[in-house]
Amino acid sequence: MNTLIPLCEADVLFVGLARDCELTIEHTVLALLEAFSEAKTLRYYVVESDSTDGTVERLESMSQSIPGFQFESHGCLSERFPKRTERLAFCRNRY
């Protein structure tokens, strides 16, 4: 039986993957923060790989400034997993 609980009693965890999203990731997370501001707790967990822009640096900055925000970076997985689908599966399994 699924029982819905009020948002104010919910512990919310957002998980996701990141690659080359330096210009959009912070805006997206802040929009989620605003949309779910009534939640009891909000946490974020992002798994990054293969970015060629400033995504890792942006994620590092966000982990310092946004409460509950954590990430892990796996560098260049494309050498280990040539297929994009393999990289996605690896990163999804990390969270």
Side-chain angles (χ1 to χ4, degrees):
M1 173 188 217
N2 290 339
T3 304
L4 295 178
I5 62 171
L7 187 56
C8 64
E9 296 176 16
D11 296 308
V12 179
L13 170 63
F14 291 101
V15 297
L17 307 178
R19 178 180 178 190
D20 290 335
C21 57
E22 170 190 18
L23 300 178
T24 58
I25 185 74
E26 190 166 5
H27 174 75
T28 300
V29 169
L30 292 176
L32 290 170
L33 177 64
E34 184 177 336
F36 289 84
S37 64
E38 294 181 22
K40 180 179 165 186
T41 61
L42 272 181
R43 294 180 304 148
Y44 311 85
Y45 195 77
V46 175
V47 180
E48 181 279 335
S49 76
D50 294 279
S51 292
T52 57
D53 62 358
T55 296
V56 175
E57 292 80 7
R58 180 62 53 98
L59 293 171
E60 179 64 42
S61 172
M62 291 168 62
S63 72
Q64 301 298 316
S65 64
I66 299 174
F69 186 90
Q70 294 180 300
F71 78 99
E72 64 181 69
S73 177
H74 290 278
C76 187
L77 287 178
S78 60
E79 295 171 2
R80 184 172 163 196
F81 303 108
K83 293 183 179 178
R84 181 176 179 267
T85 53
E86 292 174 326
R87 293 190 301 274
L88 288 169
F90 175 87
C91 290
R92 285 184 183 137
N93 288 335
R94 292 298 302 162
Y95 64 68

